[in-house]
Amino acid sequence: MSVIYILITVSIFVAVLFLIAFIKAVRGGQYDDDYTPSVRMLFDDEVVKKENPNKLIQTEKQKSI
């Protein structure tokens, strides 16, 4: 029966540690922007094309040669 008390105590301690880690992450801004990273990969190619549009054409010509 004493093992149950030890397991309950350890599980409550672990749960409190996870709660503290979660609160620290929220206060640190870990979950502030959850939309931009999910769509960033959709717009990466447009940024490359705007920076140097000739580079993309040159690499396509080199591949065909």
Side-chain angles (χ1 to χ4, degrees):
M1 194 67 173
S2 64
V3 173
I4 293 175
Y5 296 129
I6 293 171
L7 288 175
I8 291 173
T9 305
V10 169
S11 65
I12 290 174
F13 179 72
V14 169
V16 168
L17 285 177
F18 278 115
L19 179 65
I20 291 170
F22 175 73
I23 291 172
K24 195 172 189 179
V26 169
R27 287 188 180 173
Q30 183 73 28
Y31 302 109
D32 282 348
D33 187 14
D34 58 349
Y35 179 70
T36 302
S38 64
V39 296
R40 185 178 301 145
M41 64 180 243
L42 300 174
F43 301 111
D44 279 347
D45 291 337
E46 292 178 12
V47 173
V48 172
K49 289 178 185 176
K50 288 179 184 176
E51 288 176 359
N52 193 357
N54 295 330
K55 185 176 182 182
L56 183 64
I57 295 170
Q58 290 172 354
T59 55
E60 289 178 359
K61 287 180 181 177
Q62 289 173 354
K63 288 180 184 178
S64 64
I65 295 177

